[in-house]
Amino acid sequence: MPKPQGIQGEPEGRNRTRLAGQAFASTMAFKPNIDRLKPMLYPSTRGHCPPVRLDEALRAGLAPDGGLYVPERIPGLEAATGIPGPDLSATAERVLAPFFADSSLAEDLPRITREALDLPLPIVEFNPGKSWMLELFHGPTAAFKDFAARFLAACLSRLRAEHEPVQTVLVATSGDTGGAVAAAFHRRPGFRVVILYPDGKVSARQAHQLGAFGDNVHCFRVQGNFDDCQRLVKRALNTPELASALALTSANSISIGRLLPQISYYAHSVSQLSAQIAQKVNLIIPTGNLGNALGAVLARAMGIPIGEIRLATNANRTLPDYFGGEDYRGRPGIATLANAMDVGDPSNFERLAWLYREADLRDSGIHAGSVTDEQIRRAIRRAWNEQGLMVCPHTACALELLRQQREVGDDRPWMVAATAHAAKFENVVEPLIEQTIEAPPALAALLERPSHAEDLEPDEDALATRLRALA
């Protein structure tokens, strides 16, 4: 069998195609160097509280008005910036520097990127000259979220003074976020992690991984879906007394600290590949809460040679329906084989709408498609039989959209974001490819450890009680 070769906002329910404010589209031009040195502030998407510096936005996670922090402008990248750098951490330092302007972390940014982003980032070609896969799953928990979680942990640990109380990192997860955050903050002095995941709606290995860290990591099985978990986190962060008593922050993709590093791996990989093929690179990105895809959107806005961006969803059709012409309508999540994307009301849509608040989001070169469970199964089989690729159900959604593009004659270069290692979903993938999937060493080590999680009702008071008991 051939083996692939590697190469180095607003209230829900509104129509948010057009929103008032400065046009995001106008920020896409390159900026002069002086713009990169100007202080960067972070307003809320809802505009009901003053803009803050990055330090405060990182600490808080969520804005006081319930909105998400966003950069006030999108800095451009000139050719002299030197993108890509010799490795991901060097690229990240250059790309992210303007976002850190006026932050107390600005001087530490080179050390932060070296500490957090020293991870493999292979690009695998599987259709010569036409199709590539960006493997984002070579971190300690075998998922793309390792990049951002490690970066956020490196930032928050530097922002916390020794005399300050222990900070509680509260995170909702549909599978991979919780493990990445747990690994990034495990045994890190001055922090405790509280993970909420929907009981029975993550894979068995994901659930085991979430409860296997122990020490300063506490895990709760919520009797509900991911949207319930996400709601509990947001309500806790927006309860001033509770947030203050526990020094609460979030490590979900609602945190600006999760979003920024995701810009860097698209900047690095796309610039590298584009230089080789002398064309813009189109992206297909599996998405649930829209955080990973938003990193690509921002990278493109800064001037990285990204063409079209396609969002691959499972049977949760909120985004495909919106980009297909319907009003935005959040809805309950539907359980699918691609469980990490079982999101019915993606939080980061509010950021996306804010960025395009005076432009037409449906005319932005962003599209979305929905993939059924049966299509996921066929895509997993096809990837193995035709390309020798073992892919997770989420990556399979992206491969199915790519197949559909090729079927209608699209011959452009496309890169698919592979978001998790297939071994995390062995109960789905192994029967389809009739092969045993070996777990990566770090995941295998976690699976050998005992795992513990407590039951939790999807109730704000119940969560508050548990959180206070940990303090």
Side-chain angles (χ1 to χ4, degrees):
M1 181 163 301
K3 300 302 287 184
Q5 299 299 309
I7 63 173
Q8 280 306 38
E10 292 282 320
E12 62 186 55
R14 250 183 96 172
N15 182 336
R16 292 181 275 189
T17 309
R18 294 179 178 275
L19 300 177
Q22 178 186 354
F24 175 55
S26 68
T27 70
M28 294 185 182
F30 289 126
K31 304 292 186 191
N33 217 15
I34 191 170
D35 188 52
R36 293 171 53 80
L37 305 178
K38 289 171 56 180
M40 179 73 78
L41 291 177
Y42 291 82
S44 165
T45 50
R46 299 187 183 181
H48 301 308
C49 55
V52 299
R53 294 169 64 215
L54 179 61
D55 301 28
E56 185 177 339
L58 288 170
R59 283 176 173 271
L62 195 66
D65 62 359
L68 309 185
Y69 285 116
V70 283
E72 63 181 350
R73 67 183 185 279
I74 310 301
L77 296 172
E78 318 87 323
T81 308
I83 304 298
D87 55 31
L88 175 60
S89 61
T91 297
E93 178 187 343
R94 297 168 189 178
V95 169
L96 299 182
F99 295 100
F100 278 71
D102 202 38
S103 164
S104 67
L105 296 172
E107 289 188 5
D108 261 345
L109 183 59
R111 288 179 287 276
I112 290 170
T113 62
R114 287 196 297 270
E115 172 187 326
L117 303 179
D118 183 23
L119 297 173
L121 189 67
I123 304 170
V124 173
E125 185 175 35
F126 61 93
N127 183 2
K130 295 181 180 179
S131 305
W132 295 264
M133 182 173 290
L134 178 63
E135 292 189 348
L136 295 169
F137 52 73
H138 293 283
T141 68
F144 77 95
K145 300 187 181 185
D146 284 319
F147 291 94
R150 287 159 58 93
F151 187 89
L152 178 62
C155 289
L156 290 180
S157 64
R158 286 167 169 80
L159 287 174
R160 181 184 174 275
E162 286 189 16
H163 66 275
E164 292 180 344
V166 172
Q167 189 162 19
T168 301
V169 182
L170 181 60
V171 58
T173 184
S174 52
D176 290 327
T177 294
V181 171
F185 285 92
H186 186 220
R187 295 177 179 169
R188 193 177 282 264
F191 293 91
R192 73 171 63 88
V193 175
V194 177
I195 300 169
L196 309 183
Y197 77 89
D199 189 20
K201 295 180 174 63
V202 304
S203 78
R205 282 187 171 177
Q206 284 176 317
H208 187 101
Q209 183 184 53
L210 294 171
F213 288 92
D215 302 312
N216 64 328
V217 178
H218 308 273
C219 190
F220 293 94
R221 294 183 298 254
V222 176
Q223 308 307 304
N225 59 26
F226 170 75
D227 294 311
D228 291 319
C229 299
Q230 187 167 250
R231 171 180 54 80
L232 291 176
V233 168
K234 288 182 176 181
R235 293 289 173 82
L237 290 168
N238 272 322
T239 304
E241 180 273 327
L242 185 65
S244 175
L246 293 160
L248 282 182
T249 189
S250 175
N252 275 100
S253 60
I254 59 177
S255 167
I256 192 69
R258 281 275 309 278
L259 175 58
L260 294 178
Q262 294 178 135
I263 300 171
S264 63
Y265 54 65
Y266 287 115
H268 187 74
S269 59
V270 169
S271 297
Q272 180 185 0
L273 181 55
S274 179
Q276 294 183 29
I277 65 175
Q279 296 181 66
K280 285 188 175 182
V281 179
N282 304 288
L283 298 177
I284 304 181
I285 303 173
T287 193
N289 221 18
L290 256 180
N292 191 19
L294 197 57
V297 171
L298 290 174
R300 184 177 68 176
M302 295 178 74
I304 299 302
I306 297 171
E308 185 180 330
I309 297 173
R310 287 197 168 264
L311 312 175
T313 75
N314 51 26
N316 289 275
R317 294 192 51 87
T318 302
L319 295 173
D321 287 349
Y322 170 79
F323 282 98
E326 297 183 14
D327 286 358
Y328 181 88
R329 180 174 63 86
R331 61 202 78 175
I334 300 169
T336 74
L337 293 179
N339 64 273
M341 300 175 356
D342 291 347
V343 181
D345 190 12
S347 290
N348 277 293
F349 186 84
E350 187 166 332
R351 272 196 177 111
L352 187 61
W354 186 91
L355 291 169
Y356 282 92
R357 59 198 178 278
E358 210 172 69
D360 190 341
L361 181 49
R362 295 194 182 101
D363 192 29
S364 62
I366 303 172
H367 305 278
S370 175
V371 179
T372 67
D373 277 359
E374 184 52 38
Q375 288 174 316
I376 289 172
R377 292 186 183 96
R378 288 201 298 264
I380 290 170
R381 290 192 196 99
R382 190 182 301 113
W384 176 249
N385 292 333
E386 297 180 7
Q387 282 95 28
L389 295 169
M390 291 182 178
V391 299
C392 77
H394 315 83
T395 306
C397 291
L399 288 175
E400 171 60 18
L401 289 198
L402 177 59
R403 185 195 66 79
Q404 293 175 14
Q405 288 298 112
R406 297 300 188 210
E407 203 169 61
V408 296
D410 188 336
D411 203 36
R412 294 174 295 168
W414 286 91
M415 183 162 68
V416 167
T419 52
H421 197 289
K424 299 186 82 168
F425 306 91
E426 88 292 352
N427 59 326
V428 174
V429 180
E430 287 185 352
L432 295 171
I433 67 173
E434 299 179 338
Q435 300 285 331
T436 299
I437 306 172
E438 184 177 352
L443 176 59
L446 276 174
L447 295 176
E448 292 295 321
R449 297 175 57 132
S451 180
H452 174 71
E454 298 180 38
D455 290 326
L456 179 69
E457 291 298 318
D459 177 78
E460 298 159 33
D461 292 336
L463 174 61
T465 299
R466 296 295 187 91
L467 290 175
R468 289 190 178 97
L470 295 176

